[in-house]
Amino acid sequence: MKKQVLICGGAGQLGRDCAAVLEAAWRVSAPGSKTLDIADREAVLEAVEALRPDVILNCAAYTKVDQCETDRAEAWRVNALGPRNLAEAGATHGALLVHVSTDYVFDGRRVPPEPYTEDDAPGPLSVYGQSKLAGEMAVREIAERHAILRTAWLYGAGGHNFLKTMLRLAVSDPERVIRVVNDQYGCPTWSRDLARQIARVMEAGVCGTFHACGEGFCTWYDLARRFLELMAVPHRLSPCSTSEYPTAAVRPRNSILENRRLKEDGLDVMRPWEEALEEFVALNGRALLEEVNA
């Protein structure tokens, strides 16, 4: 009989890809955040009691980075209290808790291209990063069986993300010059590739903290340029510095993560970001254009 997985945040970009990847080998329950609010302790305990999953996979998060600076209570409610509730429920029923975290737990002050590994000390600069780190700490404290996967620069076919924003801007006005930050470095990660990596970790039943990102690195400008080239849409891009594009939240200048522990354990299935991006466009390019033109 297939084992049971409860995917929290199942309606989101990553949650949907995880459900699609896992359904062949697992019995999948994937409620969206409107159906199961992970910050509601009683609702979480009741859901886990009823389902008795072998694995709880947390894809739910409050990811509006700039909005977190003003909506601090909601950021902490979802990103810190939510994982604590899942950890408690998982510990009660002996489930493995797989929790998705972020590059924003680091300060990004390391000079690129030197990456961050799982052993490096965190030092978040934003409310988003601070709340996600608090969630990690709660998982480690409460859930004896847990796997935390930190990822970065996530994009996919569903939901909102940087690539869709770039495409929308380019299509809406091909003559507009789009200014894109060119001094922040990171590892673009396709949500479907991350879902496959999560599946591999679940199958192995390993515990600990892991980095799980696309291999290699680039800047936001590099990523936008390559994506729009692959999409074959007219566009005009101009690189700019972080100081020229201020945001409410301070973002890490260096978000390069090394998938060291996955490689050491023989579990790494991530691939070069350029290769993943090409397949993403080949599979989803037409649908993306239809979406932005709707």
Side-chain angles (χ1 to χ4, degrees), residues 165-228:
T165 298
M166 292 296 103
L167 183 61
R168 189 172 290 108
L169 291 173
V171 169
S172 64
D173 184 0
E175 294 303 312
R176 172 180 177 172
V177 177
I178 306 170
R179 298 167 69 239
V180 187
V181 171
N182 197 37
D183 59 357
Q184 293 176 21
Y185 296 80
C187 309
T189 308
W190 183 12
S191 54
R192 197 180 75 175
D193 278 6
L194 179 58
R196 289 170 172 166
Q197 183 63 74
I198 289 170
R200 184 72 184 91
V201 168
M202 287 169 52
E203 291 162 5
V206 294
C207 295
T209 300
F210 304 88
H211 288 175
C213 296
E215 291 289 344
F217 63 90
C218 65
T219 68
W220 289 114
Y221 173 78
D222 296 331
L223 177 57
R225 181 179 59 184
R226 183 58 184 143
F227 171 63
L228 293 176

Side-chain angles (χ1 to χ4, degrees), residues 5-25:
V5 56
L6 170 62
I7 304 176
C8 301
Q13 175 176 265
L14 178 59
R16 280 182 280 182
D17 276 346
C18 284
V21 167
L22 292 170
E23 64 183 0

Side-chain angles (χ1 to χ4, degrees), residues 15-239:
R16 280 182 280 182
D17 276 346
C18 284
V21 167
L22 292 170
E23 64 183 0
W26 295 75
R27 286 182 293 126
V28 174
S29 177
S33 295
K34 292 182 179 179
T35 303
L36 178 59
D37 177 3
I38 64 170
D40 184 335
R41 179 176 178 272
E42 293 306 315
V44 168
L45 293 176
E46 288 176 8
V48 174
E49 170 69 30
L51 197 63
R52 297 293 181 98
D54 299 279
V55 177
I56 300 170
L57 169 55
N58 184 29
C59 298
Y62 186 39
T63 58
K64 296 177 181 178
V65 177
D66 289 322
Q67 201 165 309
C68 284
E69 295 296 313
T70 52
D71 198 359
R72 294 178 177 231
E74 184 66 7
W76 280 83
R77 194 184 78 86
V78 177
N79 295 338
L81 178 59
R84 176 173 290 276
N85 293 337
L86 295 176
E88 180 184 345
T92 299
H93 296 287
L96 171 66
L97 174 58
V98 179
H99 174 64
V100 179
S101 192
T102 174
D103 57 302
Y104 278 69
V105 301
F106 296 110
D107 62 22
R109 291 172 178 152
R110 182 167 293 173
V111 178
E114 185 180 358
Y116 286 89
T117 72
E118 296 87 348
D119 291 330
D120 287 316
L125 302 175
S126 64
V127 172
Y128 172 67
Q130 292 160 5
S131 64
K132 289 294 288 183
L133 179 59
E136 285 191 11
M137 294 171 67
V139 169
R140 294 190 189 96
E141 174 190 346
I142 299 171
E144 182 177 348
R145 298 182 61 227
H146 69 265
I148 297 170
L149 283 81
R150 293 176 180 147
T151 194
W153 292 24
L154 199 64
Y155 66 88
H160 301 285
N161 56 61
F162 171 77
L163 296 187
K164 286 189 177 183
T165 298
M166 292 296 103
L167 183 61
R168 189 172 290 108
L169 291 173
V171 169
S172 64
D173 184 0
E175 294 303 312
R176 172 180 177 172
V177 177
I178 306 170
R179 298 167 69 239
V180 187
V181 171
N182 197 37
D183 59 357
Q184 293 176 21
Y185 296 80
C187 309
T189 308
W190 183 12
S191 54
R192 197 180 75 175
D193 278 6
L194 179 58
R196 289 170 172 166
Q197 183 63 74
I198 289 170
R200 184 72 184 91
V201 168
M202 287 169 52
E203 291 162 5
V206 294
C207 295
T209 300
F210 304 88
H211 288 175
C213 296
E215 291 289 344
F217 63 90
C218 65
T219 68
W220 289 114
Y221 173 78
D222 296 331
L223 177 57
R225 181 179 59 184
R226 183 58 184 143
F227 171 63
L228 293 176
E229 287 173 351
L230 290 169
M231 289 295 298
V233 297
H235 61 276
R236 298 179 66 192
L237 298 181
S238 175

